[in-house]
Amino acid sequence: MTIQRYKDYDSLSSAAAYLVWRQIKQKPDSLICFPSGDSPTGMFKFLVQYAKEGRIDFSRAHFVGLDEWVGMDKNDEGSCSHYLHKNFFSLLKIAPAQVRFFDAKVADLDRACQEMDEHITNLGGLDMMIVGIGMNGHIGLNEPGTDFNVYAHHSALAPVTIDVAKKYFTQQPRLTEGITLGLRHLAEARTPVLIASGSKKAGIIAQALNGPVTTDVPASIFQNLPNTQIFLDHGAAEKLNKE
């Protein structure tokens, strides 16, 4: 586990974008998992800039979305896939064949999970899986109590997750369940990446990276993943033990 501390969010975002840039340079057909939310927005801005300047070519890369609110897809404003299209895929006109999201509107969610697992396996596994961290330590929508060995799955959302999610919607939907890549995917990714910013994340970051490894704090799995890259700005790192 390598922890990188940066003076501010912009520096963190630039460094995270450089990590993706380096991955694509080394393996143009990489399979990368992208998250939605506030934390990766700056990274996407840098990556879009690099691509438009001709410094990076995503034409051979493949992407999967980390998670989705059950009952939503890219046409629903506030959904995870809508965010990723708005902030990255649509801006660079990434071909639809390069991108896979959960179909969170189907009746058979177990089948949707199985299809995502098969898709990742067929592409040779995740080269890079980038995630943020929830206020309760969740990764993707792997809520507290999730088994570290689970692949894609769907489950009930924690109350704090539902409360935090409200900011993404202009009209409040009824959020009850999420569908997500599993913590086993994170463990098997060749490069797992965590991005966190702001003082509001400092407490859970310290708990996840300095506390006991437990399913009560899903993000504590990072302590068991030697290839992990952790990107924190000053605020997020302020309660972390000095190394």
Side-chain angles (χ1 to χ4, degrees):
M1 182 174 67
T2 301
I3 300 175
Q4 306 285 351
R5 296 171 171 87
Y6 298 92
K7 63 179 181 178
D8 54 32
Y9 177 68
D10 197 55
S11 300
L12 175 157
S13 300
S14 176
Y18 175 76
L19 190 70
V20 176
W21 175 88
R22 190 174 64 185
Q23 174 66 39
I24 294 297
K25 285 291 184 180
Q26 292 174 345
K27 186 182 179 187
D29 61 346
S30 292
L31 174 59
I32 300 176
C33 169
F34 277 153
S36 59
D38 296 331
S39 296
T41 301
M43 177 189 73
F44 288 133
K45 288 180 180 179
F46 279 106
L47 289 174
V48 168
Q49 177 185 335
Y50 296 164
K52 290 185 175 181
E53 292 172 351
R55 297 165 58 188
I56 190 170
D57 179 8
F58 289 110
S59 63
R60 294 173 56 194
H62 299 274
F63 305 93
V64 293
L66 174 60
D67 51 18
E68 188 55 272
W69 312 113
V70 168
M72 297 189 187
D73 61 20
K74 68 178 181 179
N75 298 313
D76 295 295
E77 187 172 358
S79 70
C80 304
S81 46
H82 181 273
Y83 165 90
L84 287 170
H85 276 287
K86 178 182 177 181
N87 289 281
F88 187 73
F89 297 121
S90 294
L91 295 176
L92 296 181
K93 297 180 172 58
I94 302 292
Q98 294 175 253
V99 184
R100 180 70 174 258
F101 291 107
F102 282 107
D103 187 347
K105 286 189 171 181
V106 295
D108 191 347
L109 293 173
D110 290 332
R111 179 59 186 167
C113 291
Q114 182 181 347
E115 289 175 350
M116 178 63 86
D117 289 341
E118 291 172 351
H119 178 72
I120 291 171
T121 297
N122 291 339
L123 288 174
L126 289 163
D127 292 293
M128 181 173 287
M129 183 169 172
I130 304 173
V131 300
I133 182 172
M135 296 302 294
N136 61 355
H138 75 216
I139 295 296
L141 292 174
N142 292 277
E143 299 284 22
T146 301
D147 193 304
F148 285 169
N149 290 312
V150 71
Y151 285 107
H153 62 103
H154 59 96
S155 61
L157 298 171
V160 66
T161 301
I162 295 172
D163 187 57
V164 171
K166 292 177 181 178
K167 65 183 177 182
Y168 300 119
F169 299 92
T170 52
Q171 295 183 340
Q172 296 306 311
R174 185 171 178 269
L175 300 176
T176 59
E177 196 172 10
I179 188 169
T180 182
L181 294 191
L183 297 172
R184 184 69 178 268
H185 285 120
L186 189 69
E188 293 182 356
R190 295 176 184 91
T191 305
V193 182
L194 173 64
I195 299 174
S197 66
S199 297
K200 66 182 180 181
K201 295 291 179 72
I204 192 60
I205 283 291
Q207 190 176 351
L209 302 184
N210 292 151
V213 176
T214 170
T215 58
D216 291 339
V217 182
S220 66
I221 193 177
F222 281 109
Q223 295 184 51
N224 291 341
L225 308 182
N227 295 326
T228 292
Q229 299 289 323
I230 310 285
F231 292 85
L232 308 173
D233 66 6
H234 177 74
E238 63 187 10
K239 294 184 179 179
L240 202 59
N241 289 348
K242 301 297 182 182
E243 295 183 351

